[in-house]
Amino acid sequence: MRGKFITFEGIDGAGKSTHIEWVAERLRTRGPVVTTREPGGTPLGEDLRRLLLHRKMDLETEALLMFAARREHIAEVIDPALARGDWVISDRFTDATFAYQGGGRGLALDRLEALETWVQGSLQPDLTLLFDVPLETAAARLANAREPDKFEAESRAFFERTRAEYLRRAAQAPQRFRVIDATRSIDQIRVTLEDILASI
Ligand SMILES: Nc1ncnc2c1ncn2[C@@H]1O[C@H](COP(=O)(O)OP(=O)(O)OP(=O)(O)O)[C@@H](O)[C@H]1O
Ligand SMILES: [Mg+2]
């Protein structure tokens, strides 16, 4: 049986990485689990990640490189794992491109949709966990966590647009998305995650 594909989404500092290993451990009781991330997830993809997070570039170049890294990720990691029947959990996927490059940067969504179709064919996550927090909460969490990358140095308005695009997509595909109130404590969020995992 084909495996299930779960993606973690949300603005920088929302708490995605905090929960991913915990979710992976829960799912390991049910079968093999592959955890991965975007941009990245392959040697070439990680090289592209370094460029994407630290080099200034044209807006469309950025979107094209995101999808180039994603193509490699799907071909080398995601598709083979799903074909083996593994669970695949990715820290970000295409919703992030719509949110950051579409919402945040203002790139036309139909361009992104064309690339999505090219790169993914019919592949879509079975479940997307959207960690939703106000910008102030995310910024406060990140303040002492690390040096900001190119995206984390963006304006408040950028992240407002990014968050709004995430929420718009979640409202459009309620069967795939679960919006998690990530302002709560890590333990409270785990209770919600446990319920969601029990339902898939
Ligand atoms: N529910 C929470 N309550 C308080 N602090 C939290 C919570 N969740 C995460 N944090 C802290 O907030 C910081 C950012 O969390 P995390 O790295 O998981 O965010 P992220 O969504 O993965 O961000 P990025 O997109 O930048 O990788 C970390 O220092 C983490 O310990
Ligand atoms: Mg993270």
Side-chain angles (χ1 to χ4, degrees):
M1 220 177 73
R2 195 172 159 82
K4 287 219 184 326
F5 182 27
I6 302 176
T7 57
F8 280 46
E9 296 287 359
I11 60 172
D12 301 75
K16 300 176 294 299
S17 305
T18 298
H19 293 285
I20 205 159
E21 264 316 308
W22 186 84
V23 167
E25 275 311 307
R26 314 300 288 183
L27 289 175
R28 280 194 185 102
T29 63
R30 297 164 64 178
V33 178
V34 173
T35 58
T36 186
R37 69 171 181 180
E38 289 208 351
T42 64
L44 174 61
E46 292 293 326
D47 285 349
L48 292 171
R49 179 189 180 93
R50 270 188 291 282
L51 295 173
L52 282 161
L53 298 191
H54 300 290
R55 280 276 280 274
K56 267 194 172 301
M57 61 184 75
D58 170 77
L59 164 61
E60 303 202 29
T61 307
E62 182 180 277
L64 289 162
L65 285 180
M66 285 287 182
F67 273 104
R70 181 162 300 133
R71 180 60 222 155
E72 188 74 3
H73 193 204
I74 291 168
E76 295 297 320
V77 176
I78 297 173
D79 266 349
L82 293 174
R84 288 195 300 269
D86 295 358
W87 298 89
V88 176
I89 311 178
S90 188
D91 193 335
R92 297 189 183 284
F93 193 61
T94 307
D95 294 304
T97 311
F98 280 96
Y100 282 74
Q101 278 67 47
R105 299 236 192 273
L107 190 62
L109 298 182
D110 59 352
R111 295 256 165 122
L112 299 177
E113 282 161 6
L115 291 169
E116 178 186 32
T117 302
W118 179 6
V119 164
Q120 288 168 233
S122 62
L123 177 71
Q124 288 291 334
D126 296 290
L127 170 69
T128 298
L129 303 175
L130 175 55
F131 290 79
D132 183 55
V133 287
L135 309 195
E136 300 71 38
T137 308
R141 286 179 185 173
L142 282 183
N144 295 316
R146 57 179 179 253
E147 285 288 297
D149 65 35
K150 194 177 85 182
F151 291 98
E152 288 161 9
E154 280 289 344
S155 66
R156 183 193 164 86
F158 174 92
F159 283 107
E160 290 285 10
R161 292 193 301 272
T162 301
R163 181 186 182 204
E165 182 60 20
Y166 266 134
L167 289 170
R168 196 185 69 80
R169 289 178 67 74
Q172 273 190 338
Q175 69 291 359
R176 171 165 73 87
F177 274 92
R178 297 289 178 280
V179 181
I180 293 167
D181 172 6
T183 60
R184 295 171 300 155
S185 72
I186 290 170
D187 283 347
Q188 287 171 321
I189 293 167
R190 283 181 179 174
V191 172
T192 301
L193 292 172
E194 191 91 76
D195 284 347
I196 294 169
L197 295 179
S199 73
I200 57 165

